[in-house]
Amino acid sequence: MRTAVVVGAGVGGLAAAGALARAGWKVTLLERDDRLRPGRAALVLWPNGIRALRALGLAGGLDGISTPVPPAGIRRPDGTWLVQPGVSEIESPPVVVHREDLHDAFIAGLGEQVDVRGGVEVQSARVHRDRPAVGDGRVTFEADLVVAADGPHSAIRRRLAAASTFASAGFAAWRAVIPWYRAPELPPEVSPHGETLGGGHRFAYASLGERGSSGGSTRGGIYWVATVPGALRPEPAAGQLALLRRWFAGWHAPVGQLLAATEADDLVQEPVGELAPLPETFGVPAGPGGYALVGDAAHAMPHHLAQGASLALEDVATLQTVLVGSSAAALGPALQEYNRLRRARALRVLQQSKKAAAVLQQRGRLASSLARVNPRTLERAAAASTEWAGPTG
């Protein structure tokens, strides 16, 4: 039986462990935390991410835990329109899903062939012996295939591609889900989803399910994400929330109301950064087996297009496809094909992310910025980033 070690139990790691197990591999899943924990807040899945879920056989219950996000347009902080709501260039709307719901779906898909090991922080990777192996300083784990899904600061990538480092983009981001029982009632004229830009700040929100309805997410509410220039804040969550309320004071409804209804325990702070340069290869042979980099370990980039989860799922769906028919004694060609398909794709999305950044990172007066940058650039970049034909191309 072919063996695999998957490092990291986020979106990419859980999806990879389940996909390999269902394909008959014996899988060991290593997680730094003492147990598998869902990420907090919510995330957006674009049409390409949903196609990847279907390819992985994990999309069956998606309609029951997700909420479509139709075009909402883009506003200035005073509420005037930069881009009016209209027909989207994207084939179908993205969906927002609570991370806990998605985590539960992935856990259900692991099966019995996955040996989960918590409290293992991988610190090393071996590439110059018969089989790939990783270790935490106490125990070494060998396998035919190692999947590095250990995030932007991946210890495995540092060993395989030392020149690639994660650097801040000069912005920080916060996410939160306000549960329905605390969420403010939005006036009829206020859309249940929207996005606002101003002075380098960005605030977007979307309903997660419907208030008082059993449909949509089982953990419904209003999801929001805010991005501001600057480094990560060292204050406790309560202090960070106070700063957010100050920075976004005076913005049109419902921005202030949503921040007022947010509690410190809801808040998740995240860095905004980029892996540069991208690793020269996302698939590294080691003896007859090798390593595959997936998700942020391979191609972390600023979340301007909210493609992180979707790209990780694309990676896993592609890896699953190229491994079909390969043997444990000859994984090299499959890993080369994985790299050919995924690195080019990551570069295309990174290019679109830079176009979006030209709009989102304007720090002067937004009115004067518009003389140089068309806000529809953001929608076009988002549409272009969803253009993925599937695991084989």
Side-chain angles (χ1 to χ4, degrees):
M1 178 181 286
R2 296 178 294 181
T3 60
V5 169
V6 178
V7 182
V11 169
L14 286 175
L20 290 167
R22 291 189 297 275
W25 292 63
K26 183 179 180 181
V27 180
T28 301
L29 175 61
L30 307 180
E31 168 56 29
R32 178 176 56 189
D33 288 344
D34 59 350
R35 60 186 177 88
L36 302 187
R37 303 174 190 271
R40 295 172 57 200
L43 54 80
V44 173
L45 290 177
W46 292 85
N48 51 305
I50 296 171
R51 284 195 294 274
L53 276 178
R54 292 195 185 106
L56 290 166
L58 294 172
L62 185 62
D63 289 345
I65 61 173
S66 65
T67 306
V69 184
I74 304 174
R75 294 178 182 267
R76 292 184 176 93
D78 64 5
T80 57
W81 290 105
L82 289 171
V83 179
Q84 290 275 359
V87 178
S88 174
E89 298 182 24
I90 300 171
E91 61 186 81
S92 58
V95 300
V96 60
V97 57
H98 202 291
R99 286 177 177 266
E100 291 186 20
D101 288 325
L102 197 62
H103 176 87
D104 289 349
F106 286 163
I107 291 294
L110 287 181
E112 297 180 357
Q113 292 281 13
V114 179
D115 177 16
V116 179
R117 306 282 187 95
V120 179
E121 184 171 1
V122 168
Q123 300 173 356
S124 63
R126 186 183 73 199
V127 295
H128 296 303
R129 293 182 63 180
D130 291 340
R131 302 176 79 205
V134 294
D136 66 350
R138 300 169 300 163
V139 181
T140 298
F141 300 87
E142 286 190 352
D144 301 311
L145 174 68
V146 172
V147 178
D150 49 343
H153 300 289
S154 169
I156 298 174
R157 188 197 61 246
R158 287 200 300 270
R159 176 68 178 85
L160 304 179
S164 298
T165 57
F166 181 75
S168 170
F171 282 71
W174 288 262
R175 304 174 188 271
V177 172
I178 308 169
W180 281 129
Y181 72 88
R182 278 198 281 109
E185 290 280 358
L186 302 183
E189 67 274 12
V190 173
S191 170
H193 42 266
E195 183 166 0
T196 306
L197 309 177
H201 292 57
R202 180 188 189 188
F203 193 97
Y205 66 95
S207 293
L208 194 57
E210 296 183 8
R211 189 188 302 267
S213 170
S214 59
S217 172
T218 59
R219 299 174 174 92
I222 299 179
Y223 167 57
W224 62 258
V225 57
T227 305
V228 301
L232 292 177
R233 301 298 306 190
E235 296 89 350
Q240 297 172 25
L241 184 56
L243 287 171
L244 286 165
R245 290 169 176 165
R246 183 196 311 168
W247 291 330
F248 289 94
W251 283 41
H252 69 83
V255 176
Q257 293 92 323
L258 293 178
L259 288 171
T262 302
E263 296 183 353
D265 288 345
D266 302 328
L267 209 59
V268 180
Q269 181 181 204
E270 298 176 340
V272 180
E274 178 180 338
L275 189 60
L278 289 186
E280 292 185 4
T281 178
F282 293 174
V284 179
Y291 294 84
L293 302 174
V294 306
D296 284 347
H299 44 64
M301 62 186 73
H303 67 227
H304 302 319
L305 299 177
Q307 277 285 345
S310 294
L311 287 178
L313 292 170
E314 285 186 26
D315 290 343
V316 176
T318 303
L319 184 63
Q320 172 186 259
T321 299
V322 301
L323 289 174
V324 172
S326 64
S327 69
L331 290 181
L335 292 173
Q336 291 173 0
E337 179 67 359
Y338 171 72
N339 175 65
R340 183 186 73 80
L341 294 169
R342 295 311 302 158
R343 193 172 188 277
R345 166 68 174 151
L347 285 170
R348 290 196 299 272
V349 177
L350 182 59
Q351 181 183 35
Q352 297 304 324
S353 178
K354 293 182 184 300
K355 291 180 180 179
V359 176
L360 299 174
Q361 295 183 352
Q362 295 294 333
R363 301 194 191 187
R365 290 181 177 271
L366 194 57
S368 64
S369 300
L370 296 180
R372 303 189 303 274
V373 180
N374 183 347
R376 286 203 177 275
T377 300
L378 180 59
E379 182 179 358
R380 293 177 186 133
S385 71
T386 69
E387 295 172 353
W388 179 66
T392 58

